Amino acid sequence: MSAERTLAERAAIAEIPVSEHGVPRWNTHQARAFAEGVRWDDLRAFLAVCDAMSFRAAATSTALAVNTLRRRVERLEQEVGAPLLRRDVNGVTLTAIGSQVLAVARDMHTSADHGRGDGQGDILIKPGEVRIGCTEGLGTFWLTPRLMTLQDQFPDLTISLQQTYDAGADQSRDVDVGLTFNRPQNPDLVRMRVAVLHFMLFASQDYLRRNGTPTSFSDLRDNHRFIEQAGPGINSELGANFFGAELPPGFLTIRSNSALSVYWAVIHGAGISAFPTYTRAISRDLIPITIPAHLRFDLWLYYHASARNSPSIRTTVEWIKDAFDEEKYPWFADEFVHPDKFPGADRQASVVKLYEDMTPRVQYPPGVLPPGKA
């Protein structure tokens, strides 16, 4: 849902009754559907502040900075389109709409994070195995380097990473916990939006040295080569919006359904392509191209409601949330952060340069210096 819509506008679209003051009168199902569309970290920050009735006390209990909590609550208020808390010298108090959002947040917190086992152990699709579903790009570039952290918590279980080439796939029949770019519609799933992926154009240093840096989409179309990822769930028509339906000969040089194949081609100087901005964090050899347009996609986490009390499911969900924590990794925040403004290497100890060995060692002619060395 667009952040620009007010709560009353959203209520009208969802056919939720609105009071004379413009505040929706939610039933449980409608309120939960709304809450699933906002960032879980924002709801959790709001819960912590409500429990402590103070931003400073909540900062102590959550080990988050006061400004971080304020920013997350303010972002939630922007999504809702109404104040949730009243601030004063004694702490905070809830507004009327804040009380409704709090009830939903508590319900989600109970079901998603703090269920208690029923003594029957884990409920898994395949006993002894935790199956995690995601796209090939996310699985290969972002989750794979973190699997050992999860493995350490599951000494007696097999972790099965089920990667798909369909960016919008609902793998819920085959996986215990999944990630997708489309909001799952199955009512038997617990769903939450965990991150935003921002996409930009990237090229290798060698390609830009040889061909120059495009300054516009028309320049890119007329003077450069493009590599496209195409497959189910990927809107290939976006390329036509940017470059036109009739492409010049030689412009689209490679097309693949594999993010890894596209990455390999770009890092070896075959052309320019679009990647999530976190690509810059895992490879310093790909350079972002600042053409004034970028794309963003919500990332949804889901798991089976019937397994919400399973210890391994709760652990896996927490592991995924941590992997996309915007405080650690600002490229997953709602707000676009240009890769040039990413934190320095001293703050990226947990970012793994997994595929640096793929990068070709460019041999520059005598007297020609690499980019940034002139």
Side-chain angles (χ1 to χ4, degrees):
M1 293 184 181
S2 170
E4 285 76 22
R5 284 182 182 152
T6 66
L7 185 59
E9 289 172 329
R10 293 187 188 195
I13 293 171
E15 298 182 351
I16 301 172
V18 178
S19 74
E20 61 182 355
H21 302 292
V23 176
R25 296 192 295 268
W26 281 325
N27 62 38
T28 302
H29 173 74
Q30 292 163 332
R32 188 178 183 88
F34 170 81
E36 286 172 346
V38 300
R39 286 290 292 267
W40 172 246
D41 285 346
D42 297 344
L43 279 176
R44 188 157 54 183
F46 174 64
L47 254 179
V49 174
C50 291
D51 287 342
M53 299 311 293
S54 161
F55 278 95
R56 292 195 177 277
T60 300
S61 66
T62 61
L64 293 174
V66 171
N67 286 340
T68 297
L69 289 171
R70 285 201 180 103
R71 183 171 66 251
R72 291 183 177 181
V73 171
E74 287 170 359
R75 189 167 59 195
L76 184 60
E77 290 178 323
Q78 183 179 11
E79 279 284 304
V80 171
L84 303 178
L85 299 171
R86 299 185 185 91
R87 288 84 161 172
D88 57 41
V89 293
N90 297 318
V92 299
T93 57
L94 285 161
T95 64
I97 190 63
S99 296
Q100 294 186 61
V101 174
L102 176 62
V104 176
R106 289 201 190 285
D107 178 61
M108 291 185 68
H109 187 261
T110 299
S111 63
D113 287 327
H114 292 282
R116 293 293 180 262
D118 58 4
Q120 302 301 314
D122 281 328
I123 300 175
L124 301 171
I125 290 177
K126 182 178 180 180
E129 181 176 303
V130 178
R131 295 185 173 185
I132 303 168
C134 62
T135 62
E136 177 238 9
L138 280 177
T140 300
F141 293 109
W142 195 251
L143 292 185
T144 292
R146 292 161 176 76
L147 281 178
M148 289 186 66
T149 303
L150 185 61
Q151 180 191 43
D152 290 342
Q153 302 181 68
F154 293 149
D156 299 322
L157 294 177
T158 299
I159 300 171
S160 177
L161 188 60
Q162 303 288 318
Q163 301 183 51
T164 175
Y165 293 98
D166 184 345
D170 176 358
Q171 299 174 268
S172 57
R173 291 188 177 183
D174 303 311
V175 302
D176 299 292
V177 181
L179 290 166
T180 181
F181 290 103
N182 289 342
R183 180 183 177 182
Q185 300 302 309
N186 185 342
D188 295 327
L189 298 175
V190 176
R191 305 158 291 187
M192 61 188 72
R193 190 168 65 102
V194 292
V196 174
L197 267 66
H198 302 270
F199 281 71
M200 289 183 68
L201 296 175
F202 285 83
S204 70
Q205 296 185 25
D206 181 50
Y207 177 91
L208 297 178
R209 180 184 64 84
R210 290 184 286 106
N211 299 281
T213 302
T215 57
S216 65
F217 280 111
S218 59
D219 179 19
L220 175 60
R221 178 182 182 277
D222 296 335
N223 302 304
H224 292 270
R225 291 176 294 174
F226 192 74
I227 299 171
E228 181 180 74
Q229 184 178 1
I234 299 174
N235 188 353
S236 299
E237 295 179 357
L238 289 173
N241 294 335
F242 289 134
F243 307 121
E246 297 295 328
L247 299 177
F251 172 72
L252 185 58
T253 60
I254 297 174
R255 175 184 285 132
S256 174
N257 67 342
S258 167
L260 184 57
S261 295
V262 172
Y263 178 87
W264 180 276
V266 174
I267 203 72
H268 282 78
I272 295 171
S273 192
F275 293 108
T277 53
Y278 73 75
T279 302
R280 180 62 170 162
I282 64 175
S283 174
R284 304 300 294 178
D285 291 296
L286 284 183
I287 308 301
I289 298 172
T290 310
I291 291 177
H294 78 275
L295 302 174
R296 54 168 285 157
F297 300 93
D298 291 340
L299 183 66
W300 291 85
L301 179 151
Y302 61 87
Y303 58 94
H304 299 270
S306 60
R308 59 164 54 100
N309 295 333
S310 298
S312 61
I313 299 301
R314 299 202 306 271
T315 299
T316 302
V317 168
E318 286 301 322
W319 173 75
I320 291 176
K321 289 179 183 177
D322 183 72
F324 294 98
D325 185 339
E326 66 181 61
E327 293 301 315
K328 295 180 180 179
Y329 314 114
W331 40 87
F332 293 129
D334 279 10
E335 300 80 10
F336 171 74
V337 179
H338 194 282
D340 290 346
K341 298 184 183 299
F342 285 175
D346 59 323
R347 293 185 59 193
Q348 290 188 16
S350 56
V351 177
V352 179
K353 308 295 191 293
L354 184 63
Y355 295 103
E356 288 291 271
D357 288 343
M358 286 185 176
T359 307
R361 300 299 99 188
V362 178
Q363 300 296 319
Y364 294 97
V368 177
L369 295 176
K373 300 295 184 181

